[in-house]
Amino acid sequence: MPDTHHPTGPHRSASVLVTGATGNLGREVVQRLRARGAQVRRLVRHRTGADHGVESVVGDLTDPTAFRAALLGVDAVLLIWPLLDSAPAHELVAELVAAAPRVVYVSSTAIDDAAARQSDPIVQVHADMEVLLRDAGLRPVLLRSDTLASNARGWAAQLRSGDVIAGPDVARTAVVDERDVADAAVAVLLAPPHARLDPHPYLLTGPEVLSRADQVARLGAALRRRLSFQALPADLARSRMLADGRPERLVEALLAASAHRPDSHRVTDHVERLTGRPAGTFARWAVDHVAEFR
């Protein structure tokens, strides 16, 4: 495990740029960095209210000028790539090379390193981004995350109107609490320059492999309701997701993942290696978030 107790020298705290800072994972990372005394900067598309001591640069990851401004003086960057195409990232990578911070990229455990092509567009773009960062000579720290527990927040609207969660089925996987991924990310972002970080990807998983139905059952237990999961055929799932306002390209990528991504039975101790404590369960996540589903 890297030495993360004294991430900087005695003269100043670390400065970290967080992309995706308003998302489920990014928000958790920002909170933890602030608690550790780091100087935090966010790259955000829109300024939203008070930043509570966090500096914000308004811009987009595809805007090299804004990204260059956001990189000024930072020691480390948490990179969360939101697009289904890596091509717009080439200018971003050039800015990273020029600024030379530590780059921590949040990727996917679904990547198959032996495959010429990945199972679906979502995994493919992560694999492409990893190659792009490595080929640029950045030596990124790769945090390959399993399915985030926070994805379950997408069920909240259905649960307000009934006890059935309907949607495309997905592969069984070791769902990981986004708070654990955030803790792991912060440990790496604030690790001292001499820390021995693994050049191979960290594989961040939860402690048990769960199906979509397993997750729904555990959420039901936390809510004290008898919930069930209904797998929808692709055509019906597509029409519902489009009606909910999701972009067509994302909908097609999600359906491709549902159809082609294989089950994963991998459970690792990499969260513990980075944070010093075991990964939490989805059941615990559900208990901690019951208010969001009522």
Side-chain angles (χ1 to χ4, degrees):
M1 187 174 77
D3 173 11
T4 59
H5 298 294
H6 301 285
T8 60
H11 301 298
R12 69 176 184 89
S13 59
S15 178
V16 181
L17 172 64
V18 179
T19 69
T22 59
N24 288 322
L25 175 59
R27 286 197 304 266
E28 298 289 346
V29 172
V30 168
Q31 290 175 9
R32 284 156 175 75
L33 287 170
R34 291 195 63 225
R36 292 281 295 273
Q39 301 175 44
V40 184
R41 182 179 297 158
R42 311 182 308 167
L43 181 66
V44 294
R45 294 175 68 89
H46 308 284
R47 197 176 299 277
T48 55
D51 291 335
H52 305 293
V54 176
E55 183 184 356
S56 293
V57 173
V58 177
D60 187 290
L61 285 173
T62 62
D63 178 355
T65 301
F67 192 59
R68 186 181 310 128
L71 283 171
L72 285 175
V74 301
D75 302 300
V77 175
L78 180 71
L79 179 58
I80 300 173
W81 183 249
L83 304 180
L84 288 170
D85 181 3
S86 64
H90 283 81
E91 289 185 281
L92 172 146
V93 169
E95 297 297 338
L96 286 170
V97 170
R102 172 179 290 163
V103 177
V104 180
Y105 178 62
V106 180
S107 187
S108 170
T109 57
I111 288 176
D112 180 352
D113 289 309
R117 296 293 296 175
Q118 301 300 320
S119 60
D120 59 82
I122 295 170
V123 184
Q124 186 64 54
V125 74
H126 284 303
D128 292 344
M129 286 294 296
E130 288 189 10
V131 170
L132 185 59
L133 292 165
R134 283 200 195 100
D135 286 355
L138 287 167
R139 299 173 63 189
V141 180
L142 301 175
L143 300 182
R144 289 185 180 174
S145 171
D146 221 314
T147 302
L148 294 178
S150 56
N151 289 355
R153 288 187 167 117
W155 302 333
Q158 290 191 65
L159 288 180
R160 294 189 187 104
S161 59
D163 293 331
V164 177
I165 300 298
D169 208 352
V170 296
R172 289 166 51 86
T173 184
V175 178
V176 63
D177 191 325
E178 70 278 3
R179 297 171 296 185
D180 291 333
V181 177
D183 284 335
V186 168
V188 175
L189 288 164
L190 297 186
H194 62 268
R196 293 187 300 275
L197 296 168
D198 197 328
H200 301 99
Y202 291 96
L203 307 177
L204 307 180
T205 77
E208 57 183 342
V209 175
L210 301 173
S211 67
R212 182 62 57 89
D214 293 331
Q215 294 176 65
V216 170
R218 283 159 175 74
L219 184 56
L223 291 166
R224 298 183 181 180
R225 292 168 57 184
R226 191 180 297 276
L227 305 181
S228 62
F229 174 70
Q230 177 188 0
L232 295 180
D235 287 347
L236 183 54
R238 177 183 292 107
S239 63
R240 289 196 180 185
M241 287 191 284
L242 290 172
D244 287 341
R246 297 193 189 192
E248 183 176 358
R249 192 173 181 188
L250 174 59
V251 169
E252 295 305 324
L254 291 170
L255 291 174
S258 173
H260 303 299
R261 192 178 301 179
D263 285 346
S264 171
H265 301 286
R266 180 193 295 117
V267 173
T268 76
D269 67 348
H270 292 192
V271 166
E272 186 169 9
R273 282 171 53 187
L274 287 170
T275 68
R277 56 169 185 73
T281 64
F282 182 80
R284 169 49 58 190
W285 182 93
V287 168
D288 290 345
H289 293 84
V290 289
E292 299 179 36
F293 297 91
R294 288 178 172 158

